Amino acid sequence: MTDQPTPIWLDCDTGHDDAFAILVAACHPQVELLGISTTYVNASLAKTTYNTRAILKAIGREKVPVYAGAAKPFCREASHAPDIHGESGLDGTTCLPIPDVPVRTDKTAVDAMYDALISTPKGSAWVVPCGASTNAALLFATHPDLVNHIGGVSIMGGAIGDDFTDAPMGTVKGQGERFGNITPYAEFNIYIDPESAKSMLSNNTLAGKTTLIALDLTHRFLATPEIQKRMLHGHEPAPNGSQPSRVRKLFLEITTFFAKTYADVFGITIGPPVHDVLAVVAAFAPTVFIDHDGEKFEVSVVTEGPHGMPSAAGRSQCGRTIATPALPAFEGVRIPRDLDADQVWRMIDQCLGIAERQEG
């Protein structure tokens, strides 16, 4: 981490794990959150935009500008994940407040992203897509000059497989073990708009600035029962008789709902992976993550083959991310294999502490 906060533009589809990404991006002292654009993956655009505003209200950060972005993929139909995130995209909590600040409409999401990012010092700002890559891909296609201006891109998406890590990837009834979470081969954020993901990961200059936070890593970051207990009370023992804050209750309820759906759908019973926050942390604290001797990868995205929710039970490889060691002529994408999970949980606890002080 540097002495100066890292400017970040967060692009998300606010569901349960996105809430943690917003918490850290908005509250960690080493981050300057420039704004948030929303997209459609975990639920419809209207629902994820509302959820984003509600989480910002809950953590006392409603001044962060929110812009509604793409409502569907570049050239495919939108699909959502009610089996994991519920119909609202953020089911399972009674503590979510009604937001006061409306979504911004003075410009498009892409224009807002560009204006905020280009105003930062060259090489300092990061774009962090935690849902589909639709908004981010349109940003760089519309404003190619931004590629050389930003410091980096941190994408939560993809699944490598082939024992890239030893993380528990889960099983689906009737399908057995898999490394994807929407098909046996594909991760949902990439699968839902593979063309947009491909356009970013195939850009040599942009790829050299990109960190890919794949399921192979996020499944090493599980909110176990012990973590959930600390989430409610903090890392330090609470004074006798003290009651948990509303914001801590909110994040615990979010996590317990997520834990149940992951157990029901994927058979992971030790706690759910909290994917999206890792993409935020990778932007401002890259040393938290571990790879092998600075390895970099060329990442291709499969765009051919049957696509759509009914194909999830089939063997289509559409949306698969295939990583091969980068050749010297290709700068390559960073794909971490491990992390200091306790350090990230402590960051989350620090941010919860900052948020709960806003309640007082």
Side-chain angles (χ1 to χ4, degrees), residues 61-74:
R61 291 293 190 271
E62 281 195 287
K63 291 183 179 180
V64 174
V66 176
Y67 289 85
K72 63 180 292 295
F74 173 67

PDB file of all heavy atoms in Angstrom, residues 61-74:
ATOM      1  N   ARG A  61     -22.143   6.475   3.468  1.00  0.00           N
ATOM      2  CA  ARG A  61     -21.339   6.976   2.346  1.00  0.00           C
ATOM      3  C   ARG A  61     -22.221   7.348   1.144  1.00  0.00           C
ATOM      4  O   ARG A  61     -21.854   7.120   0.002  1.00  0.00           O
ATOM      5  CB  ARG A  61     -20.309   5.925   1.926  1.00  0.00           C
ATOM      6  CG  ARG A  61     -19.202   5.680   2.938  1.00  0.00           C
ATOM      7  CD  ARG A  61     -18.305   6.904   3.067  1.00  0.00           C
ATOM      8  NE  ARG A  61     -17.097   6.648   3.833  1.00  0.00           N
ATOM      9  CZ  ARG A  61     -16.986   6.771   5.146  1.00  0.00           C
ATOM     10  NH1 ARG A  61     -18.053   7.155   5.847  1.00  0.00           N
ATOM     11  NH2 ARG A  61     -15.861   6.524   5.772  1.00  0.00           N
ATOM     12  N   GLU A  62     -23.369   7.966   1.388  1.00  0.00           N
ATOM     13  CA  GLU A  62     -24.275   8.286   0.283  1.00  0.00           C
ATOM     14  C   GLU A  62     -23.764   9.399  -0.630  1.00  0.00           C
ATOM     15  O   GLU A  62     -24.345   9.631  -1.691  1.00  0.00           O
ATOM     16  CB  GLU A  62     -25.657   8.648   0.820  1.00  0.00           C
ATOM     17  CG  GLU A  62     -26.493   7.442   1.211  1.00  0.00           C
ATOM     18  CD  GLU A  62     -27.958   7.793   1.383  1.00  0.00           C
ATOM     19  OE1 GLU A  62     -28.290   8.444   2.392  1.00  0.00           O
ATOM     20  OE2 GLU A  62     -28.767   7.429   0.513  1.00  0.00           O
ATOM     21  N   LYS A  63     -22.698  10.064  -0.241  1.00  0.00           N
ATOM     22  CA  LYS A  63     -22.146  11.087  -1.116  1.00  0.00           C
ATOM     23  C   LYS A  63     -21.424  10.495  -2.321  1.00  0.00           C
ATOM     24  O   LYS A  63     -21.131  11.209  -3.286  1.00  0.00           O
ATOM     25  CB  LYS A  63     -21.204  12.003  -0.337  1.00  0.00           C
ATOM     26  CG  LYS A  63     -21.911  12.903   0.678  1.00  0.00           C
ATOM     27  CD  LYS A  63     -20.933  13.848   1.358  1.00  0.00           C
ATOM     28  CE  LYS A  63     -21.643  14.770   2.343  1.00  0.00           C
ATOM     29  NZ  LYS A  63     -20.698  15.694   3.025  1.00  0.00           N
ATOM     30  N   VAL A  64     -21.108   9.208  -2.275  1.00  0.00           N
ATOM     31  CA  VAL A  64     -20.461   8.559  -3.420  1.00  0.00           C
ATOM     32  C   VAL A  64     -21.441   8.552  -4.590  1.00  0.00           C
ATOM     33  O   VAL A  64     -22.564   8.061  -4.469  1.00  0.00           O
ATOM     34  CB  VAL A  64     -20.047   7.113  -3.075  1.00  0.00           C
ATOM     35  CG1 VAL A  64     -19.508   6.399  -4.316  1.00  0.00           C
ATOM     36  CG2 VAL A  64     -19.011   7.105  -1.960  1.00  0.00           C
ATOM     37  N   PRO A  65     -21.066   9.094  -5.745  1.00  0.00           N
ATOM     38  CA  PRO A  65     -21.996   9.134  -6.888  1.00  0.00           C
ATOM     39  C   PRO A  65     -22.253   7.748  -7.461  1.00  0.00           C
ATOM     40  O   PRO A  65     -21.321   6.943  -7.617  1.00  0.00           O
ATOM     41  CB  PRO A  65     -21.281  10.032  -7.897  1.00  0.00           C
ATOM     42  CG  PRO A  65     -19.835   9.959  -7.533  1.00  0.00           C
ATOM     43  CD  PRO A  65     -19.787   9.765  -6.053  1.00  0.00           C
ATOM     44  N   VAL A  66     -23.515   7.480  -7.768  1.00  0.00           N
ATOM     45  CA  VAL A  66     -23.922   6.197  -8.339  1.00  0.00           C
ATOM     46  C   VAL A  66     -24.585   6.450  -9.693  1.00  0.00           C
ATOM     47  O   VAL A  66     -25.502   7.273  -9.799  1.00  0.00           O
ATOM     48  CB  VAL A  66     -24.903   5.449  -7.412  1.00  0.00           C
ATOM     49  CG1 VAL A  66     -25.381   4.156  -8.070  1.00  0.00           C
ATOM     50  CG2 VAL A  66     -24.261   5.166  -6.058  1.00  0.00           C
ATOM     51  N   TYR A  67     -24.115   5.738 -10.708  1.00  0.00           N
ATOM     52  CA  TYR A  67     -24.661   5.852 -12.055  1.00  0.00           C
ATOM     53  C   TYR A  67     -25.121   4.472 -12.531  1.00  0.00           C
ATOM     54  O   TYR A  67     -24.394   3.491 -12.380  1.00  0.00           O
ATOM     55  CB  TYR A  67     -23.607   6.389 -13.027  1.00  0.00           C
ATOM     56  CG  TYR A  67     -23.276   7.841 -12.823  1.00  0.00           C
ATOM     57  CD1 TYR A  67     -22.331   8.241 -11.882  1.00  0.00           C
ATOM     58  CD2 TYR A  67     -23.916   8.827 -13.576  1.00  0.00           C
ATOM     59  CE1 TYR A  67     -22.027   9.583 -11.692  1.00  0.00           C
ATOM     60  CE2 TYR A  67     -23.621  10.170 -13.396  1.00  0.00           C
ATOM     61  CZ  TYR A  67     -22.672  10.542 -12.448  1.00  0.00           C
ATOM     62  OH  TYR A  67     -22.384  11.873 -12.257  1.00  0.00           O
ATOM     63  N   ALA A  68     -26.322   4.422 -13.088  1.00  0.00           N
ATOM     64  CA  ALA A  68     -26.834   3.172 -13.647  1.00  0.00           C
ATOM     65  C   ALA A  68     -26.191   2.932 -15.011  1.00  0.00           C
ATOM     66  O   ALA A  68     -26.242   3.793 -15.893  1.00  0.00           O
ATOM     67  CB  ALA A  68     -28.352   3.229 -13.772  1.00  0.00           C
ATOM     68  N   GLY A  69     -25.598   1.770 -15.175  1.00  0.00           N
ATOM     69  CA  GLY A  69     -24.917   1.438 -16.418  1.00  0.00           C
ATOM     70  C   GLY A  69     -25.740   0.523 -17.304  1.00  0.00           C
ATOM     71  O   GLY A  69     -26.955   0.689 -17.445  1.00  0.00           O
ATOM     72  N   ALA A  70     -25.085  -0.485 -17.844  1.00  0.00           N
ATOM     73  CA  ALA A  70     -25.719  -1.374 -18.817  1.00  0.00           C
ATOM     74  C   ALA A  70     -26.778  -2.254 -18.163  1.00  0.00           C
ATOM     75  O   ALA A  70     -26.580  -2.776 -17.067  1.00  0.00           O
ATOM     76  CB  ALA A  70     -24.669  -2.249 -19.490  1.00  0.00           C
ATOM     77  N   ALA A  71     -27.891  -2.440 -18.884  1.00  0.00           N
ATOM     78  CA  ALA A  71     -28.981  -3.282 -18.393  1.00  0.00           C
ATOM     79  C   ALA A  71     -28.932  -4.684 -18.998  1.00  0.00           C
ATOM     80  O   ALA A  71     -29.688  -5.559 -18.589  1.00  0.00           O
ATOM     81  CB  ALA A  71     -30.327  -2.636 -18.710  1.00  0.00           C
ATOM     82  N   LYS A  72     -28.029  -4.892 -19.965  1.00  0.00           N
ATOM     83  CA  LYS A  72     -27.912  -6.195 -20.609  1.00  0.00           C
ATOM     84  C   LYS A  72     -26.528  -6.330 -21.230  1.00  0.00           C
ATOM     85  O   LYS A  72     -25.799  -5.336 -21.362  1.00  0.00           O
ATOM     86  CB  LYS A  72     -28.981  -6.368 -21.689  1.00  0.00           C
ATOM     87  CG  LYS A  72     -28.873  -5.374 -22.837  1.00  0.00           C
ATOM     88  CD  LYS A  72     -29.959  -5.575 -23.879  1.00  0.00           C
ATOM     89  CE  LYS A  72     -29.820  -6.857 -24.649  1.00  0.00           C
ATOM     90  NZ  LYS A  72     -28.597  -6.919 -25.485  1.00  0.00           N
ATOM     91  N   PRO A  73     -26.136  -7.535 -21.598  1.00  0.00           N
ATOM     92  CA  PRO A  73     -24.838  -7.736 -22.237  1.00  0.00           C
ATOM     93  C   PRO A  73     -24.734  -7.036 -23.587  1.00  0.00           C
ATOM     94  O   PRO A  73     -25.725  -6.555 -24.143  1.00  0.00           O
ATOM     95  CB  PRO A  73     -24.751  -9.257 -22.393  1.00  0.00           C
ATOM     96  CG  PRO A  73     -25.718  -9.807 -21.417  1.00  0.00           C
ATOM     97  CD  PRO A  73     -26.825  -8.805 -21.338  1.00  0.00           C
ATOM     98  N   PHE A  74     -23.526  -7.038 -24.125  1.00  0.00           N
ATOM     99  CA  PHE A  74     -23.245  -6.373 -25.390  1.00  0.00           C
ATOM    100  C   PHE A  74     -24.118  -6.909 -26.513  1.00  0.00           C
ATOM    101  O   PHE A  74     -24.691  -6.139 -27.299  1.00  0.00           O
ATOM    102  CB  PHE A  74     -21.756  -6.557 -25.737  1.00  0.00           C
ATOM    103  CG  PHE A  74     -21.378  -6.060 -27.093  1.00  0.00           C
ATOM    104  CD1 PHE A  74     -21.411  -4.708 -27.394  1.00  0.00           C
ATOM    105  CD2 PHE A  74     -20.995  -6.950 -28.090  1.00  0.00           C
ATOM    106  CE1 PHE A  74     -21.069  -4.253 -28.665  1.00  0.00           C
ATOM    107  CE2 PHE A  74     -20.648  -6.505 -29.350  1.00  0.00           C
ATOM    108  CZ  PHE A  74     -20.687  -5.154 -29.627  1.00  0.00           C
TER     109      PHE A  74
END
